[in-house]
Amino acid sequence: MNDPLLLSLDCGTQSVRALLIDLHGNIRGKAQQGFDDYVSLHEGWHEHDAETFWQAAASVCRRVLQAHAHEHAAERVKGLAVTTQRGTLLPVDAAGRPLRRFITWLDQRRASRLPPISPWWRLAFKAVGIAPTIDYFQREAEANWIAEHEPEVLARTHKLLLVSGWLNYRLTGRFADSVASQVGYLPFDFKRQQWAGPRDWKWQALPLRPEHLPELVPAGDTLGGLTREAAAATGLPEGLPVIAAAADKACEIVGAGAVAPHIGAVSYGTTATIDVTTPRYVEALSFIPPYPALLPGQFNTEVQIFRGYWLVRWFKDQFGHPEVAEALAAGVSPEALFDRLVAQVPPGSQGLMLQPYWTPGIRHPGPDARGAIIGFSDVHTRAHLYRAILEGLAYALRDGKERIEKRSGTPITELRVSGGGAQSDAAMQLTADIFGLPATRPHTFETSGLGAAIAAAVGLGLHRDFASAVAAMTRLGQRFEPHPQHHALYDALYHGAYQRMYGRLAPLYAQLQRVLRTAR
């Protein structure tokens, strides 16, 4: 009861968690608070109150310390680190007061009046075929929407902060954030992992100046000490070191032990992703940058399915009423009962194929993309649909794996699977079967929080470096081997049907968009 502890504050899309983690990577305590208070003033908008994020984060800190007060947890915590959802932005004034609610990464509003980019840059973008990508960047950028629709907010903006920057500010009183948390529509140089230089085109594409941005600190470095106000709010000692960590996906990858280029880190979260950690700057799709890894100076080459395990929630809301009712009576989660649906259906879902592009992408899928389900016949039930959702996500991530391998030149030979989907044996097995690779769970489902704790351990000198911290604090859980017969079937369906779906349907998606725009 005297061994040191680390506190990870993991603020995701659906909840915030405070985790007490020891130097061997064991979760010694946990408190969680869900978010059901997102605001949508118009269709497609998705916002959250900044103060509520902070109050929830402080509350779970107090609760986990109180639950372990008999173990003197508060005195044993040597430092804390923050990991959060990506791409969710907040403008604050010079006193650190929010000027509006956070615009979250799920928000679908678009800017229409865009800052002009010089003709020379425009010609260069056109020459290399990325003019639509730059246009997409500008329209998606929250700062451009604020400049167009809330110019008075932009005029008063002192700093533009991600959720990580906001929580780190509330903890330390310093406008500083981790290099490895910078994922969003910001003037960030992903290759050099620093704010963009003065001649970078992003300064023309966005209505921002360098002084609008927080100071950047490498992962594992100290952001500051806990202020008196933050100590009172969290129950932690004043002056406690706050260590820079990374965005949730980057922390999850390290928490899963996927720190080599041959290990694919699959995340079945709200957004489903496949990543590798590499010392080289490798774009899985041309001109779509790899993100900063938690390991300083390294990169996470990533392919994402924007609406990933969100599709499971969609299924639950639309078709999962029997499991919801049964789960309520039994005191378990509905998702825990969905594996029974998968077991009712053979691999391949008897020809029902799902393309999981419920939200479009930038380059692949393109901005007109939509979801699709093909192959219905009279044998199909909602159980087939559920299995087809899981299979469709795995097909899409296998496609991402192959894109990463093609660009990096390094074969991916094993998978580490995290996120909500990793808790499903059925999802783990069909992932192994579709990829034709062993798929292994980490020893804990709290891989994002564990990755943040690893950064804290290194920053505090409790482990010598990231390599020794990963070795000491991560280990493998259950391993799922591919079934040869199932893999052969999935391989035929993947090559014969799934990989052809988007190319065949893309012209129809474009036509749909044209018709819908005309109807408006």
Side-chain angles (χ1 to χ4, degrees):
M1 286 176 56
N2 294 318
D3 57 323
L5 296 173
L6 306 159
L7 193 146
S8 290
L9 200 51
D10 182 357
C11 187
T13 304
Q14 299 183 42
S15 69
V16 60
R17 298 183 293 281
L19 303 165
L20 295 173
I21 302 177
D22 66 23
L23 295 181
H24 303 287
N26 300 307
I27 309 298
R28 303 285 287 274
K30 172 181 173 178
Q32 184 170 1
Q33 182 171 324
F35 296 131
D36 57 3
D37 50 359
Y38 285 96
V39 177
S40 182
L41 297 178
H42 301 280
E43 183 180 355
W45 290 25
H46 203 263
E47 302 183 347
H48 198 277
D49 179 67
E51 187 62 25
T52 304
F53 270 150
W54 164 243
Q55 293 297 337
S59 173
V60 291
C61 287
R62 291 195 307 272
R63 283 169 43 207
V64 75
L65 294 175
Q66 289 164 3
H68 296 271
H70 63 287
E71 300 171 1
H72 309 289
E75 292 81 7
R76 291 163 57 201
V77 171
K78 302 305 178 186
L80 74 88
V82 169
T83 182
T84 70
Q85 58 181 279
R86 310 186 299 190
T88 294
L89 285 166
L90 173 76
V92 300
D93 66 16
R97 293 183 295 253
L99 295 171
R100 66 169 338 277
R101 286 184 289 267
F102 272 103
I103 300 177
T104 82
W105 65 276
L106 287 166
D107 195 281
Q108 296 177 39
R109 75 191 79 182
R110 305 289 183 270
S112 56
R113 289 204 307 268
L114 307 178
I117 295 178
S118 72
W120 297 111
W121 275 117
R122 288 284 182 194
L123 283 171
F125 297 148
K126 188 174 181 180
V128 295
I130 62 165
T133 304
I134 305 304
D135 183 75
Y136 183 92
F137 174 94
Q138 286 194 281
R139 292 187 186 281
E140 290 283 326
E142 297 83 358
N144 282 337
W145 188 92
I146 292 171
E148 180 179 352
H149 296 278
E150 299 174 353
E152 72 287 353
V153 169
L154 185 64
R156 295 172 56 203
T157 296
H158 177 64
K159 297 293 180 186
L160 192 63
L161 303 175
L162 295 162
V163 178
S164 51
W166 167 244
L167 294 181
N168 285 325
Y169 167 72
R170 293 302 299 261
L171 291 167
T172 67
R174 180 184 177 196
F175 291 119
D177 200 5
S178 174
V179 169
S181 293
Q182 303 315 301
V183 180
Y185 296 103
L186 294 165
F188 186 74
D189 184 332
F190 287 95
K191 186 171 285 188
R192 294 178 176 82
Q193 298 192 354
Q194 62 188 27
W195 293 127
R199 297 182 180 179
D200 196 295
W201 62 268
K202 295 185 187 74
W203 294 113
Q204 296 181 36
L206 300 168
L208 299 175
R209 302 184 301 275
E211 56 266 28
H212 282 129
L213 305 172
E215 182 183 350
L216 294 184
V217 173
D221 281 16
T222 301
L223 287 160
L226 215 61
T227 66
R228 182 180 304 172
E229 294 78 13
T234 60
L236 291 161
E238 182 180 354
L240 184 78
V242 179
I243 307 299
D248 53 4
K249 295 289 185 186
C251 283
E252 190 175 291
I253 292 161
V254 172
V259 293
H262 73 281
I263 303 174
V266 170
S267 172
Y268 282 128
T270 305
T271 293
T273 56
I274 181 164
D275 289 78
V276 296
T277 301
T278 172
R280 296 191 297 125
Y281 180 92
V282 177
E283 299 173 344
L285 294 166
S286 296
F287 303 104
I288 305 298
Y291 299 134
L294 176 61
L295 306 184
Q298 299 213 35
F299 302 90
N300 290 145
T301 299
E302 178 177 292
V303 172
Q304 63 177 252
I305 311 304
F306 193 75
R307 296 284 189 174
Y309 241 65
W310 174 91
L311 284 171
V312 170
R313 190 173 68 196
W314 172 79
F315 177 88
K316 179 181 73 174
D317 292 343
Q318 304 301 324
F319 308 103
H321 304 112
E323 285 75 23
V324 170
E326 185 180 345
L328 188 62
V332 299
S333 73
E335 290 79 4
L337 304 179
F338 286 160
D339 274 12
R340 296 186 314 194
L341 293 178
V342 179
Q344 296 172 20
V345 177
S349 301
Q350 294 180 279
L352 195 65
M353 303 285 290
L354 182 140
Q355 178 187 268
Y357 298 152
W358 260 240
T359 297
I362 303 174
R363 293 180 67 79
H364 183 85
D368 293 333
R370 286 176 170 251
I373 307 170
I374 64 169
F376 274 110
S377 73
D378 58 0
V379 304
H380 290 124
T381 66
R382 66 189 186 93
H384 289 83
L385 176 58
Y386 185 68
R387 184 172 187 118
I389 287 172
L390 300 186
E391 290 174 342
L393 288 172
Y395 286 138
L397 292 174
R398 176 177 166 176
D399 179 74
K401 162 194 169 285
E402 292 171 0
R403 290 175 186 276
I404 291 171
E405 289 174 324
K406 184 177 180 181
R407 297 300 294 261
S408 70
T410 301
I412 294 172
T413 57
E414 58 181 295
L415 303 175
R416 305 283 167 81
V417 186
S418 301
Q423 300 181 44
S424 162
D425 285 358
M428 291 293 300
Q429 186 59 57
L430 68 82
T431 298
D433 290 342
I434 286 174
F435 279 80
L437 294 173
T440 308
R441 288 180 180 132
H443 77 279
T444 176
F445 296 125
E446 298 290 354
T447 46
S448 292
L450 177 57
I454 286 170
V458 173
L460 294 165
L462 299 173
H463 282 299
R464 183 177 66 255
D465 51 29
F466 275 96
S468 57
V470 170
M473 297 176 71
T474 70
R475 50 197 174 275
L476 300 182
Q478 187 175 0
R479 178 182 171 106
F480 293 78
E481 295 287 346
H483 188 290
Q485 225 175 342
H486 296 168
H487 175 61
L489 172 64
Y490 280 130
D491 208 46
L493 289 171
Y494 174 73
H495 290 295
Y498 181 83
Q499 283 199 305
R500 300 182 182 188
M501 283 177 69
Y502 182 70
R504 299 287 179 87
L505 292 171
L508 295 179
Y509 296 148
Q511 180 62 22
L512 273 175
Q513 293 288 19
R514 285 192 291 271
V515 170
L516 292 173
R517 279 195 291 268
T518 303
R520 293 192 198 108

